[in-house]
Amino acid sequence: MNWLSDDAITRLQAASALPDLAGTRYRIIQRIGSGGMGTVYLAEDATLGRRVALKILDFPDASGELAARLLREAHILARLEHPGIVPVHDAGTLPDGRVFYAMKFVEGQRLDRLIVSMGAVSDRLRVFQRICDAVAFAHARGILHRDLKPDNIMIGPFGEVLVMDWGIAKILHQPPESAAESSRVARDAMARSAVKTGHGTILGTPGYMAPEQARGDVERLDERADIYSLGAILQFLLIGSAPAARAVVAIARMAMAENPAGRYASASRLSEDIALFLDGLPVSAYPENIFQKAARWGSRYQLAIVLVLTYLVLRAVLLIWFRR
Amino acid sequence: MNKIVYGLVLGGILGIFDGLTAWFTPAVRSQLLGIVVGSTFKGIIAGVLIGFFARKVNSLPLGVLFGLGVGLLLAFGVAAMPSTTGEHYYLQIMLPGGLVGLIVGYATQKYGSRSPASSVRT
């Protein structure tokens, strides 16, 4: 009798773990990564001839809870059509019983890996603004992300900023226009896939989770929980950069206030404060004294001041010359 | 701030300073206010023209040359105006005028947005 080698066994195990895509339009190219709910594969969509990312449950989910969660994530993504949120193309069940959904394949790098090569603070803040914009859009559509962190932000090769992994997102409310427009079938699907997170259940990532989220106070969670995470991301973005201006540090601190009432009321307001800072204007999180105001004003109009002084020097030279 | 507004503000500020330097010429000190107003107005016109040019043409050398030309031309117009003494201070007026145009030409090419609307958040 011949024994199988370890290498052959490993290859057999890998092959048996692969999802069965027979009869579907997809063909797996390679495994990209895995998460709590399933594995993400790079696949080819044979019908449209393009590459997609397939998120597939690791096994047929008998209880249906994980399958419902995955489908729910797909439904949430379908609701969030925004340049800063990865679009979903398709969802369904594979012949082997595993639930999947297909989304845009984003070739890029995760923010936590890209940070070392990111340059000026202003560039980092512009990336941060794009994250805020995507989150603000989701909030406007009644969705909380609940797991915002650098690992879940993807930067594309052309500078696209995409917020990923909406697996533990919470639906706060149905936006009125969506409720009116969406078909009954879509609403039913959403209801079937709705998974409630019980009180006391802690979902999220330590260090990026708001205190109320870390306590498992699920019922009280609102947009300000994501604001806290955005503040933590802002703090992360400032690591390794030139000493950040006090105003930016103050913005991060305000976003990460222990009490939700002390945080920004919305991701848009947070983004606006960053925009004000980038424009050299005062930010709401940082009250300035007269000297700081003067320094900021001087820095903002540096060029104009230099040009006027240059003119005055040259004018003085001309005056002296004319008098001779 | 867009290029036209940038040119207008900078041209106006430099025009004020340009007019104020007349104080150092005792012969015209009594007409200082009129000179400052005229000079500011001249600076504003030059700034708007140069800013408009910068919005259309994206070239530092051309922008500086155009600024110098506009500054000199407007200053020539002022210097050639009939005066009570009959004297014309071409050099004393045109050199600083050209300087204003040159600086505004440089500034509007380097800074300010091309869109007509201001990019500053309020």
Side-chain angles (χ1 to χ4, degrees):
Chain A
M1 192 165 87
N2 289 328
W3 294 95
L4 286 171
S5 68
D6 288 349
D7 186 41
I9 290 170
T10 310
R11 275 189 276 133
L12 276 172
Q13 279 176 334
S16 65
L18 280 176
D20 176 14
L21 296 181
T24 70
R25 58 200 277 189
Y26 305 106
R27 186 179 60 81
I28 284 180
I29 298 172
Q30 68 179 72
R31 182 177 171 279
I32 301 174
S34 60
M37 270 200 288
T39 304
V40 180
Y41 297 92
L42 169 63
E44 191 189 359
D45 178 343
T47 307
L48 294 173
R50 65 176 175 182
R51 290 180 162 197
V52 294
L54 287 183
K55 189 166 186 177
I56 306 175
L57 275 189
D58 287 332
F59 46 85
D61 181 25
S63 72
E65 191 182 321
L66 282 175
R69 271 189 186 275
L70 196 78
L71 277 178
R72 180 174 169 276
E73 184 180 350
H75 284 297
I76 285 173
L77 281 175
R79 248 166 88 162
L80 300 175
E81 283 186 65
H82 185 273
I85 296 168
V86 65
V88 67
H89 299 317
D90 186 16
T93 307
L94 297 176
D96 63 8
R98 301 190 212 185
V99 168
F100 79 98
Y101 72 83
M103 59 186 151
K104 179 184 174 180
F105 171 58
V106 183
E107 279 181 281
Q109 271 194 290
R110 277 168 31 182
L111 184 59
D112 58 324
R113 291 175 186 162
L114 195 70
I115 187 80
V116 284
S117 59
M118 286 178 90
V121 174
S122 56
D123 293 339
R124 296 173 183 217
L125 293 180
R126 284 189 188 96
V127 166
F128 181 71
Q129 278 186 296
R130 308 265 290 277
I131 302 168
C132 287
D133 293 344
V135 174
F137 176 81
H139 289 175
R141 307 290 291 175
I143 309 282
L144 280 191
H145 187 286
R146 293 203 292 182
D147 197 18
L148 291 168
K149 56 183 176 181
D151 320 30
N152 285 340
I153 310 293
M154 193 74 114
I155 312 291
F158 299 100
E160 316 94 288
V161 178
L162 289 149
V163 178
M164 316 282 287
D165 203 346
W166 296 75
I168 61 166
K170 181 184 178 187
I171 301 167
L172 286 178
H173 57 83
Q174 188 89 355
E177 69 273 26
S178 148
E181 286 167 12
S182 59
S183 69
R184 191 175 57 81
V185 176
R187 282 203 304 272
D188 288 350
M190 196 75 171
R192 275 201 308 277
S193 62
V195 179
K196 288 205 168 185
T197 314
H199 187 83
T201 309
I202 299 167
L203 295 171
T205 304
Y208 290 92
M209 238 191 297
E212 63 273 22
Q213 191 175 346
R215 284 193 299 268
D217 203 353
V218 178
E219 297 305 316
R220 281 188 57 207
L221 287 191
D222 60 16
E223 289 89 344
R224 291 169 298 180
D226 278 351
I227 304 287
Y228 183 96
S229 307
L230 286 172
I233 292 174
L234 178 58
Q235 226 173 33
F236 172 81
L237 284 170
L238 299 176
I239 296 170
S241 68
R246 288 176 190 175
V248 187
V249 175
I251 290 172
R253 278 202 191 128
M254 184 168 164
M256 295 179 74
E258 178 81 16
N259 182 354
R263 295 176 205 152
Y264 288 93
S266 69
S268 306
R269 288 287 303 123
L270 172 56
S271 178
E272 275 168 28
D273 241 5
I274 295 290
L276 289 171
F277 172 78
L278 287 171
D279 284 343
L281 295 167
V283 302
S284 66
Y286 188 64
E288 295 173 328
N289 62 35
I290 187 80
F291 299 108
Q292 288 163 329
K293 269 184 192 162
R296 184 176 45 74
W297 193 89
S299 161
R300 187 175 181 214
Y301 296 106
Q302 201 173 17
L303 174 84
I305 292 167
V306 168
L307 288 175
V308 170
L309 289 176
T310 306
Y311 170 80
L312 289 176
V313 169
L314 291 173
R315 193 70 180 90
V317 170
L318 284 179
L319 271 173
I320 294 164
W321 184 51
F322 290 142
R323 286 189 166 223
R324 285 174 65 195
Chain B
M1 203 183 283
N2 73 55
K3 288 183 185 290
I4 295 177
V5 178
Y6 202 93
L8 184 148
V9 172
L10 193 61
I13 292 171
L14 294 182
I16 292 170
F17 284 120
D18 193 21
L20 284 173
T21 53
W23 187 84
F24 294 102
T25 310
V28 294
R29 204 176 281 173
S30 59
Q31 303 156 40
L32 188 65
L33 185 66
I35 291 172
V36 169
V37 171
S39 181
T40 307
F41 192 62
K42 176 168 71 72
I44 286 173
I45 292 174
V48 169
L49 289 173
I50 297 165
F52 189 75
F53 181 83
R55 217 173 88 184
K56 297 284 173 194
V57 181
N58 184 21
S59 161
L60 185 63
L62 283 180
V64 169
L65 262 180
F66 182 81
L68 181 66
V70 168
L72 285 174
L73 193 71
L74 288 175
F76 174 78
V78 174
M81 277 163 61
S83 69
T84 47
T85 58
E87 274 189 276
H88 293 285
Y89 300 92
Y90 286 107
L91 198 63
Q92 287 87 337
I93 294 174
M94 284 178 68
L95 263 182
L99 195 59
V100 169
L102 193 133
I103 288 176
V104 176
Y106 171 83
T108 51
Q109 283 293 333
K110 279 285 207 185
Y111 300 92
S113 63
R114 293 200 170 275
S115 63
S118 170
S119 64
V120 175
R121 283 164 184 266
T122 52

